[in-house]
Amino acid sequence: MFLKILLFLSIFPNIVSSVTCEFCVQSGNTFCTDTYSCIPPEVSCQAPINVDFVCPKAPRVQYNDTFARTRMMVIASAAKSLSENTQDCFSNHFPTTTVYKTREVNCSNTYPNVTCLAYTAYDDTEQVIILGFRGSQGKNQDLTLSENCVANGSIPFFTNGRVVQAFYDSFMFLWDGGIRQDLRRLAYLYPNYKLWIGGHSLGGAMATIASGYIVKTGIFRGEDITLVVLGDMPVTDVVFSKWHWEQIPYSFHVIHRNDNIPRVDPFDPLNNVTMYHSRTEVWYNNYMREGDNYEVCLEAGASFCIRSPQANLTWDDHNYYFDIHLPNWGKAGCPKNLTGFNQE
Ligand SMILES: *[C@@H]1O[C@H](CO)[C@@H](O)[C@H](O)[C@H]1NC(C)=O
Ligand SMILES: *[C@@H]1O[C@H](CO)[C@@H](O)[C@H](O)[C@H]1NC(C)=O
Ligand SMILES: *[C@@H]1O[C@H](CO)[C@@H](O)[C@H](O)[C@H]1NC(C)=O
Ligand SMILES: *[C@@H]1O[C@H](CO)[C@@H](O)[C@H](O)[C@H]1NC(C)=O
Ligand SMILES: *[C@@H]1O[C@H](CO)[C@@H](O)[C@H](O)[C@H]1NC(C)=O
Ligand SMILES: *[C@@H]1O[C@H](CO)[C@@H](O)[C@H](O)[C@H]1NC(C)=O
Ligand SMILES: *[C@@H]1O[C@H](CO)[C@@H](O)[C@H](O)[C@H]1NC(C)=O
């Protein structure tokens, strides 16, 4: 309750400042969030905003911590199970969820033994179709992604801005490798079901691109999509992210404390464009245990919720979400007994 009141109170001053901030930035000035004032760009300020997309905005739906820590955590972890046992994660926690198909495809043009994985599932109780993406694994996949980033940067996404090509390519390998067909089939079989999309790390980046792609292709409407991703990297530019915010009201990306991956350098020098996460960021500056506090970030961009974006970043905080080692837990089939999977 205390937390709810805090969140509630913190939203109101910012509704006013959102308009003020956008007006300020669009007129070529800087909006200073520490003083809530509009200042000339040459005046210094601790937390300046120079891009209108970054201006504070309350999310269009309320963030639900329980939903993220129970459902979306399992959805992201299930993608880590070996392709034959994706179902185990659901059987252990949500037995009404049935995995429809798991797709694992070769997703590197340059290195051997690099695969991407995604699966589709459905749940008659919740009346939803589920789409989950796996994070990267192995040195060759990391090399594939980073070399593609350096060589190719970002590419246009229809007429709605740009996305980082490496992540778009990974997604397309899966989309063409069966996911499109499986999703269309499920949408045909269950025409009234909504769609939940999730993933962790690379899986979260692909999930974000997928949500936009699915809206573009008209398989689901943005209002019927729930997107919650964990520890993903910034892979979409301002134009995409604004469009995405308009299309998909239920969209959150969750960051654990000092997770290094969401804070990777978001600049694409080939095209002189900065990448962002799609709104809205939720930051847990703790172990993410049940009842732990979190901040729903009203600003977009790396330097607001987490005030020193480059300080003390760790891989540990990337792998642990909701106080569970996500890759190991997923690989083990998401056992109910959490002994050995907690951070400390
Ligand atoms: C939050 O999510 C949980 C678990 O899915 C659900 O039971 C609960 O009704 C949700 N709360 C709200 C306010 O939507
Ligand atoms: C994956 O694709 C690359 C490039 O096309 C090829 O070199 C590699 O052998 C393929 N790997 C598998 C397992 O098919
Ligand atoms: C292929 O990659 C997987 C995942 O990284 C790894 O477990 C496996 O040992 C690799 N196999 C070969 C032949 O390199
Ligand atoms: C860059 O993009 C091209 C065209 O899609 C692709 O063939 C190539 O493999 C990419 N480069 C790297 C290093 O991934
Ligand atoms: C890069 O983009 C920034 C901001 O949009 C602009 O001010 C700058 O002139 C651009 N630089 C180049 C080399 O195009
Ligand atoms: C980083 O960690 C050091 C040592 O634990 C601590 O003193 C410092 O305050 C931390 N910095 C931030 C920005 O959290
Ligand atoms: C959970 O797992 C640990 C280690 O594998 C084991 O020692 C413990 O007895 C298990 N707890 C329960 C309640 O099964």
Side-chain angles (χ1 to χ4, degrees):
M1 196 61 211
F2 180 58
L3 176 69
K4 280 212 183 101
I5 291 168
L6 273 181
L7 287 171
F8 191 70
L9 284 178
S10 67
I11 281 168
F12 278 96
N14 290 308
I15 289 175
V16 180
S17 69
S18 167
V19 179
T20 322
C21 172
E22 283 175 15
F23 183 77
C24 171
V25 171
Q26 282 159 8
S27 65
N29 290 303
T30 294
F31 187 78
C32 186
T33 45
D34 18 319
T35 55
Y36 284 103
S37 55
C38 190
I39 55 173
E42 62 274 12
V43 176
S44 79
C45 155
Q46 260 186 340
I49 294 178
N50 299 304
V51 175
D52 61 358
F53 173 68
V54 175
C55 284
K57 260 195 181 74
R60 294 170 63 190
V61 298
Q62 206 172 6
Y63 176 69
N64 183 337
D65 165 86
T66 309
F67 179 73
R69 80 170 52 244
T70 55
R71 287 280 175 175
M72 297 312 292
M73 179 66 187
V74 168
I75 288 170
S77 303
K80 272 288 181 187
S81 316
L82 306 173
S83 50
E84 316 82 64
N85 66 0
T86 312
Q87 180 69 45
D88 291 355
C89 281
F90 293 105
S91 301
N92 281 332
H93 300 276
F94 300 103
T96 57
T97 301
T98 306
V99 173
Y100 177 62
K101 269 186 187 152
T102 302
R103 302 285 189 172
E104 185 167 18
V105 300
N106 182 357
C107 63
S108 177
N109 295 322
T110 35
Y111 288 94
N113 192 27
V114 176
T115 63
C116 290
L117 183 145
Y119 66 88
T120 47
Y122 59 96
D123 188 307
D124 295 324
T125 309
E126 295 287 342
Q127 307 235 312
V128 292
I129 293 163
I130 292 166
L131 174 58
F133 290 91
R134 186 179 73 192
S136 76
Q137 48 188 41
K139 195 166 153 253
N140 284 356
Q141 185 152 33
D142 293 341
L143 288 170
T144 298
L145 293 171
S146 57
E147 287 175 14
N148 196 333
C149 284
V150 170
N152 293 321
S154 63
I155 50 164
F157 180 83
F158 300 90
T159 54
N160 302 99
R162 306 181 73 83
V163 298
V164 176
Q165 186 187 325
F167 301 92
Y168 182 84
D169 284 353
S170 298
F171 161 68
M172 281 316 282
F173 276 117
L174 282 165
W175 188 248
D176 292 339
I179 289 297
R180 174 197 6 218
Q181 184 187 326
D182 300 343
L183 199 61
R184 281 198 190 278
R185 178 83 188 139
L186 288 172
Y188 171 77
L189 289 173
Y190 306 105
N192 300 318
Y193 285 21
K194 299 190 187 259
L195 179 65
W196 291 350
I197 311 178
H200 168 249
S201 195
L202 162 67
M206 288 195 285
T208 302
I209 292 171
S211 66
Y213 204 88
I214 289 165
V215 169
K216 271 290 172 195
T217 51
I219 306 177
F220 283 87
R221 299 180 314 158
E223 304 93 276
D224 294 333
I225 294 176
T226 292
L227 175 73
V228 180
V229 298
L230 312 174
D232 64 321
M233 39 300 252
V235 296
T236 60
D237 75 345
V238 161
V239 178
F240 178 103
S241 301
K242 274 185 185 167
W243 170 79
H244 189 269
W245 153 265
E246 285 157 11
Q247 295 294 320
I248 305 179
Y250 202 123
S251 165
F252 293 98
H253 70 96
V254 177
I255 299 183
H256 177 212
R257 198 164 42 201
N258 294 324
D259 183 343
N260 56 347
I261 289 298
R263 307 304 175 194
V264 295
D265 180 8
F267 187 62
D268 163 15
L270 295 176
N271 300 288
N272 186 30
V273 49
T274 298
M275 297 296 152
Y276 288 84
H277 286 96
S278 292
R279 288 189 118 98
T280 292
E281 176 169 320
V282 181
W283 186 49
Y284 289 77
N285 189 19
N286 45 45
Y287 286 99
M288 302 183 80
R289 292 176 183 140
E290 227 170 305
D292 274 353
N293 212 328
Y294 55 86
E295 202 173 334
V296 174
C297 312
L298 300 177
E299 295 87 1
S303 35
F304 292 92
C305 248
I306 180 168
R307 283 168 192 89
S308 311
Q310 304 311 330
N312 298 343
L313 299 182
T314 72
W315 275 110
D316 252 15
D317 286 352
H318 181 61
N319 285 325
Y320 286 94
Y321 269 76
F322 300 105
D323 199 22
I324 295 172
H325 193 286
L326 192 154
N328 289 350
W329 191 57
K331 277 179 203 148
C334 310
K336 284 198 176 107
N337 183 348
L338 292 174
T339 308
F341 295 105
N342 299 124
Q343 191 160 10
E344 265 178 16

